[in-house]
Each structure stands twice: as structure tokens, then as C-alpha cells.
Amino acid sequence: MCGIVGYVGDRKIEEVLIEGLRRLEYRGYDSCGLALNGEKSGIYRKRALGRIDNLARAIEGHTPSDKRSGIAHTRWATHGEPSEDNSHPHCDCSCEIVVVHNGIIENYSSLKDELEKKGHKFSSQTDTEVIAHLVEEKLKEISRGAGIKHALPEPLFFEAFRRAVNLLSGSFAVSALWVKAPELIMSARMHSPLTVGMGEGENFLASDVSAFLKYTKKVYFMDDGEIAAIRRNSAEFYDFKGKKNNKQPSIINWDLSMAEKGGYRHFMLKEIHEQALSAQNTMAGRLLPFEEKRIFSEIGLDFNEAARIKELQIIACGTAFHAGLVGKYVFERLGIRAAADLASEFESRAALLDRGTLVIAVSQSGETADTLHAVKAAKRNGNKVLAVTNTLGSSITREADYTLYTHCGPEIGVASTKAFLGQLIAFYMLAVNFSHARGITDPQKAEQLCRQLLLIPDLIEKTMALENKIEKLTEAFSSKEHYLFIGRDLSYPIALEGALKIKEISYVHAEGYAAGEMKHGPIAIIEKGMPVLSLALSSQSLDLIKGNIEEAKARGADIIAVVDEESKKTVKARHYLEVPQINELFSGALAVIPLQLFAYYIALQRKCDIDKPRNLAKSVTVR
Ligand code: AGP
């Protein structure tokens, strides 16, 4: 997830842009850059690796005096490692058009191929650069009379930009400048936020309002499929066909701290709400039409080598381990043996691995010391390692032989939510592809499973409808000091994750257990009124989990059951949290959401520091 800022007006533009970027730095900052559009001096572009201070120093004393507008960007890399060449703004062949972008252009490689055939020269590995060359190509097309005749630069730029964005698929918030229209910023939004701030004789643009809230509280929130033409005295909105939208502005009553969180009280809640988008971005361009070699060629693993892999060893810590445990169950359901170990407990076992076993190391940050240490132990044993990570260029990507990125954007809350969701999606995709490569899952079944995966973002949104019910429910439980989370089979790791979430942000005691283990000891701790959160979704083990629920209830437990429409008919609980029906294989992606929300609202009731819980760090870089 990157940060975009734009400005047109009489202030010192570079100051407005730099200040705006600083407000968005939490969105990721492996590099940044800006472009200014001068009446006579043309386009001035400067980019820098690392923090925004580096950019501020680089432009000092070098910016043109006749600038009329500007755009800027802070980058969280998704395509192309962090480097100056891959930093935004990107430009067309003559650098008369500059573009900044947040999101993922799914069809960029085919667009790039076509543009290169037309002679366009690219200077980066990013998907974003394609947009600048597309606008350039459309300007030529219109000027050649292939489209509408235009005398004035601004309508010409508008039409070229509009045609270009109509060719894009995926998620994008994009803004562009053209040297011949120095008073105009063109922007478009599809599945990635973009807001326009309205001043007096000046206007602003940003990924979120925190970038310009100090100047104005009058804001337009752009909608998906919308284009904006922003000038100093106007902001006009159109659909992608060019039909004008009559939008009403909002008046923001957030303070700056809330604005950075998009109006949510905490980053954790914002990130729970981003999970549908994280799932969508992690699947983008990787599933349909089903092509058996696609994901393997993306990670650099030869298909025939993938077809020979008979066993997997998954290693990770904390929440990432819980995702890996789900991955183990899913791989095994699709016919491939898999083990999952805590990275901190793996080293002594590494030497016992068969060399043909593929090790999958999961780490959101890619910097967790225990996981990196375990990866090195596996490498010493001669095993190939596939990293699943959310952070481009992180240490784990340099240690691993292959890397599959989740595309969840930076996760700020210490308690991992959207990154966990992205890790589940990664395992679902890997399990389907490896099972097909082994000849266990046929192409038709693989295609069908991919179609079911693509339903997940909408089902996540539907699951979020539980939020108000859960907020209310937690009022009755916020004084409790002990919780039990139980689940079986594919839901067992979700029970572990639910217990971890509530522990790490509410500081209460909570245990996740395989429900079948209850009678082997844990049931002794159940007292009257003890909350037992039970994963009771439609599954081959539903009857058994119902028995465990009855056992707990008989000892006074207060049962909160996560169910689906089918299982709700027969599960006997005091409280029901119903999630949409989904293929059991992928049920974890929905079942975890009520547990995340439950943990969040318990912590809120207990007035805990939810984004920065005591004693914890976002990335544990020590062993
Ligand atoms: C999860 O909410 C915790 N923040 C923690 O368990 C985390 O998942 C673990 O430290 C692993 O981090 P990683 O994914 O960056 O390796």
C-alpha cells in the first residue's frame, strides 16, 4: 500500500507534498519521489530511496520557481524491488508525463508487451510505468486524429488519461501530470483509496485525508470507477466513460490521528476492514484462467521440480505459524504430506528432513529472527526454501530459493490480521497448484477451487456484518480473565489464532485447543460462566465438535459458537456468530474474522493499547 499526494495552487508546492508524504509514511516507505509541473520549466522529477527526509534533502534549492502543480509518492514495493528506478513518479518516454500509483495493475505485462512493440522504452520493473506510456500512446492516438479533435491541452490530456485507465485491470489509485497542462492533475480510482481536498484557490489530492487535513476539512472521497480533473479552482468528477458525476463533498470531523487510520480508532480495526482487499490483491492475476505453470514461474520454481515434491515442511512463528498450520491441513486434504513446526523449535529437526522436502517459511515482516534461523538450518541440510512474505526485499527473500509475496500492504497493528488472511490465501493457492502439479487434482477441479477462492473477498465483506453484534457481545465478557478457544481439523489452527489475538491485545489468559484434547485435561479448567469460543462450521468433524461443546456446557461453560447457516441448525450454543457458507478447505479465511473482532472489542472495553500492546514488537528480530 503506497501513499499519494497532489497539490495545485500557490503554496510552496514541494513543502505541501513533502509534509503530505510524512503524514502517509505509515503506509510504507522503502522509497519516495515527487514531480513538479512548471509553466515554462516543464516537469521536475526527483526520487530517493528510504525515508522522506532523503527526498527533502535531495530537492533543496533545486526546484523550479514557476511550478503550478505537483504529485508525490511514498512506496511500499509490490512489483520491482526497492530502488530509485522503481520509485515513483514514473514517466513516459520523453518524461513529459509523470504518474504515481497505489495498487496492482493485473494486466501490466500484456500492456507492456504491446507498448514495447510500439517502440516504448521502459526504465523500471514496475507495473506503474505502463500507465505513463499508455497516456503517451493515447495522446499520440488522439493527435493522429484517431479520436476526438482537441485544440486545447487540458481536454486532450483528460481524454488520453481517460482512455488509458479504461485499459487497466486490477486495483489502482493513479494521478498524473502532463507538461502541456501545468494547472491540471488527472486522477482515477479503482479499489484503492483516493481523496480530494477542496481549498480556496487551491486543491489537494491524497490516498487519505491525513495528508492535507491541516489545510482543509472539505473532502471528496472518490469512488471506484471515477476520474477526477483537479485544478486550483475546481475539481470535476467523471465515470470512466467520461460522464460527469455530481458529487457532494464531506466535511471531515476527524483529528489527525484518526485520519491516518482512515477514520478507524486503531490501525488493527482498519486492517481487519482491509482484509477483503488484501485477499483480492493477493489473488490478483494468479488464479484464472487456470494455468498450471503460472504460480511456479512467478516464484521461479521449475514445474517439473514442483511435480516431484512429495512432502512439505512449514516453519513460522506466532500468527504466521497458525497460517502455516492451516496450510498443512489444506495441503494434506489435497493429497500432499505436510508438517508444520514452530521455527524456534525446528533447528534440531532440520537435519532429519529428506532433501526433496520443500520448506515453506512464512513471515509477514520477513525479518523474524527465529524464522530466519530455521531457514538457514534447512538450507544447511540442502533443502530448497519457499518464503511466503508480505515485505518485498526483506531478509527472508534473500535467504530463500523462491518467494511468494502476499500483497496486503504494510500492516501497522502489532496484532497481525490482514497479513494472516493473506498468508491463508497464499497457502490455498499453493496447495491447489502443487496438488495439480503432482497429478492429484485434475485441471477441472483446480479451476473449480480457484473459482471458489475468488469468492472469498465478497464473503469476507459479508462476514464483517457481524461487527456490531460482536461489539455488543463483548460488553458481557470484558471482565472475564480466562478464555478457551476450541476447534478441530482445519479449524484447530483458527482456535489457536483466536486465543493469540485476545491474549496479545487484551492481556487476558486464553488457550487454543484441539477440541478432541478437552477430555485429556483442559476440561478441568472450565468453570461456570467461562467463555468457550467454539469453531463449529459445517465439516466432517462437526458431530465431534458438537460433542465437545456439550461437554463444556455441562460444566458451566458459556458457549460462543462460530457457525455457518447449515451447522447453526444443530449446534447448541448461547451465542452464535454466523459466517457465510464456503468450501470447508477455505473456511479459515472467514472463521478467523469474528475472533479478530471479538479480541479487538474485548481489548477496547479493557482500554488496552491495541496497536502497540505491552511487551510486543511488530517484528521480533531477536531470538
Ligand atoms: C501476531 O499477531 C504477532 N504479532 C506475532 O505472533 C507475529 O505473527 C510473529 O511474530 C511472526 O511475525 P512475522 O510474520 O513477521 O514473521
Side-chain angles (χ1 to χ4, degrees):
M1 178 168 61
C2 310
I4 291 175
V5 185
Y7 176 72
V8 52
D10 292 327
R11 293 178 196 269
K12 196 164 184 200
I13 297 176
E14 59 270 35
E15 282 178 6
V16 174
L17 297 178
I18 292 287
E19 165 75 16
L21 289 184
R22 289 191 205 286
R23 295 278 175 218
L24 301 180
E25 201 161 17
Y26 72 89
R27 298 170 72 92
Y29 47 76
D30 51 52
S31 58
C32 52
L34 61 76
L36 302 170
N37 201 348
E39 191 76 49
K40 299 214 176 348
S41 59
I43 297 286
Y44 167 85
R45 180 177 65 151
K46 192 67 188 169
R47 301 177 292 176
L49 268 179
R51 306 304 291 251
I52 289 154
D53 287 344
N54 301 344
L55 178 64
R57 275 193 295 277
I59 65 171
E60 210 158 323
H62 298 290
T63 55
S65 57
D66 65 343
K67 59 240 176 212
R68 293 285 176 270
S69 60
I71 54 177
H73 185 273
T74 175
R75 185 173 185 237
W76 170 276
T78 55
H79 291 73
E81 83 281 344
S83 69
E84 192 168 322
D85 279 352
N86 286 333
S87 310
H88 304 210
H90 288 286
C91 63
D92 66 326
C93 298
S94 56
C95 217
E96 292 189 347
I97 298 161
V98 284
V99 167
V100 292
H101 162 237
N102 179 19
I104 294 173
I105 307 298
E106 284 179 28
N107 61 336
Y108 88 95
S109 46
S110 56
L111 290 171
K112 185 169 179 176
D113 292 345
E114 283 170 42
L115 288 161
E116 285 178 323
K117 285 182 193 135
K118 291 176 179 167
H120 289 262
K121 297 281 180 266
F122 284 78
S123 58
S124 82
Q125 306 156 296
T126 66
D127 52 346
T128 304
E129 190 183 354
V130 159
I131 306 171
H133 291 276
L134 268 183
V135 176
E136 177 189 11
E137 191 55 34
K138 291 304 168 189
L139 279 169
K140 285 180 193 161
E141 184 183 283
I142 298 169
S143 307
R144 279 197 300 269
I148 302 162
K149 284 263 181 268
H150 279 277
L152 299 175
E154 289 199 355
L156 190 57
F157 182 31
F158 176 97
E159 181 58 15
F161 181 82
R162 186 193 70 77
R163 291 186 188 188
V165 296
N166 271 287
L167 297 174
L168 305 178
S169 68
S171 60
F172 50 91
V174 54
S175 293
L177 302 176
W178 181 33
V179 69
K180 293 179 179 164
E183 295 269 356
L184 173 61
I185 303 175
M186 288 304 303
S187 292
R189 176 199 155 140
M190 181 61 82
H191 301 315
S192 189
L194 211 44
T195 61
V196 177
M198 302 301 287
E200 297 297 326
E202 61 180 4
N203 286 323
F204 307 80
L205 167 84
S207 304
D208 75 49
V209 299
S210 58
F212 54 66
L213 203 54
K214 70 182 273 191
Y215 303 109
T216 180
K217 290 183 179 294
K218 186 179 175 187
V219 172
Y220 288 100
F221 291 95
M222 289 183 68
D223 295 312
D224 283 345
E226 199 157 50
I227 285 172
I230 303 154
R231 298 175 180 85
R232 64 175 56 237
N233 291 311
S234 69
E236 293 165 350
F237 300 91
Y238 302 81
D239 67 17
F240 279 14
K241 292 190 176 69
K243 182 172 171 294
K244 195 159 188 176
N245 293 347
N246 291 318
K247 282 176 83 71
Q248 293 310 309
S250 308
I251 304 302
I252 297 293
N253 55 13
W254 303 330
D255 61 25
L256 214 41
S257 161
M258 280 189 78
E260 277 178 357
K261 304 177 189 82
Y264 293 102
R265 271 182 286 207
H266 296 97
F267 279 112
M268 182 182 175
L269 187 59
K270 176 170 179 275
E271 286 151 7
I272 290 173
H273 278 266
E274 286 174 346
Q275 293 189 118
L277 185 59
S278 299
Q280 182 179 319
N281 283 341
T282 300
M283 293 188 282
R286 288 170 161 171
L287 289 178
L288 291 181
F290 182 73
E291 286 159 16
E292 61 183 16
K293 297 191 171 74
R294 186 206 321 250
I295 208 148
F296 299 116
S297 58
E298 178 185 339
I299 63 177
L301 172 59
D302 174 72
F303 179 78
N304 296 320
E305 199 177 324
R308 287 193 294 272
I309 289 169
K310 292 184 175 53
E311 182 150 7
L312 297 151
Q313 170 64 59
I314 299 161
I315 52 177
C317 299
T319 287
F321 170 70
H322 299 151
L325 200 49
V326 171
K328 163 196 159 61
Y329 280 98
V330 175
F331 267 106
E332 295 193 332
R333 282 292 189 86
L334 293 177
I336 300 179
R337 266 189 62 70
D341 278 82
L342 289 168
S344 54
E345 294 293 318
F346 174 72
E347 186 169 13
S348 57
R349 300 190 57 243
L352 301 174
L353 287 189
D354 178 293
R355 278 191 184 42
T357 297
L358 176 67
V359 172
I360 301 182
V362 193
S363 175
Q364 187 283 132
S365 63
E367 302 300 342
T368 298
D370 285 322
T371 309
L372 291 170
H373 193 81
V375 165
K376 287 172 184 157
K379 297 288 290 174
R380 283 196 301 274
N381 190 55
N383 292 86
K384 295 283 192 194
V385 177
L386 162 60
V388 174
T389 185
N390 193 42
T391 310
L392 218 89
S394 56
S395 301
I396 201 166
T397 65
R398 291 193 288 278
E399 294 295 336
D401 300 280
Y402 321 108
T403 297
L404 180 67
Y405 286 108
T406 55
H407 292 314
C408 304
E411 187 176 65
I412 313 299
V414 166
S416 184
T417 51
K418 65 175 185 175
F420 174 76
L421 216 297
Q423 290 158 1
L424 293 187
I425 298 291
F427 273 109
Y428 297 153
M429 295 191 294
L430 288 169
V432 171
N433 280 279
F434 272 98
S435 179
H436 168 71
R438 282 281 308 281
I440 302 165
T441 298
D442 65 37
Q444 293 69 29
K445 176 72 176 164
E447 173 117 2
Q448 181 198 30
L449 289 170
C450 290
R451 286 193 189 289
Q452 288 172 1
L453 280 175
L454 288 169
L455 299 174
I456 289 177
D458 283 346
L459 296 177
I460 289 175
E461 288 299 4
K462 288 192 174 77
T463 306
M464 289 303 294
L466 284 170
E467 183 169 9
N468 294 337
K469 175 176 184 177
I470 291 171
E471 182 176 9
K472 190 98 192 70
L473 177 65
T474 53
E475 288 166 10
F477 289 95
S478 57
S479 59
K480 298 291 184 183
E481 293 299 330
H482 301 281
Y483 290 79
L484 210 49
F485 290 72
I486 60 173
R488 280 179 176 263
D489 196 3
L490 282 151
S491 288
Y492 163 47
I494 304 301
L496 296 177
E497 176 59 12
L500 177 61
K501 284 282 100 44
I502 199 167
K503 260 186 283 206
E504 65 176 326
I505 63 174
S506 309
Y507 316 146
V508 296
H509 169 246
E511 293 196 62
Y513 260 98
E517 271 299 287
M518 289 299 291
K519 62 177 77 60
H520 300 286
I523 203 162
I525 65 168
I526 294 182
E527 293 175 344
K528 183 160 178 41
M530 181 179 188
V532 175
L533 287 94
S534 313
L535 282 298
L537 301 166
S538 301
S539 71
Q540 53 197 10
S541 52
L542 178 59
D543 286 342
L544 290 169
I545 191 84
K546 286 191 314 194
N548 300 131
I549 289 173
E550 288 308 312
E551 287 157 12
K553 231 169 28 177
R555 284 144 183 95
D558 198 344
I559 304 292
I560 303 167
V562 178
V563 294
D564 53 41
E565 186 183 358
E566 201 45 45
S567 68
K568 186 178 179 180
K569 293 172 187 167
T570 56
V571 170
K572 299 278 176 280
R574 180 141 168 251
H575 310 280
Y576 293 95
L577 300 175
E578 184 179 339
V579 300
Q581 211 79 37
I582 188 173
N583 180 331
E584 184 197 350
L585 266 183
F586 309 137
S587 57
L590 303 184
V592 72
I593 294 171
L595 304 188
Q596 293 167 339
L597 290 167
F598 188 88
Y600 174 80
Y601 282 104
I602 289 287
L604 193 65
Q605 308 263 358
R606 296 173 70 98
K607 300 188 180 7
C608 295
D609 183 353
I610 292 172
D611 283 334
K612 297 190 180 73
R614 69 186 183 199
N615 312 333
L616 298 180
K618 183 59 189 169
S619 177
V620 182
T621 54
V622 292
R623 291 190 70 207

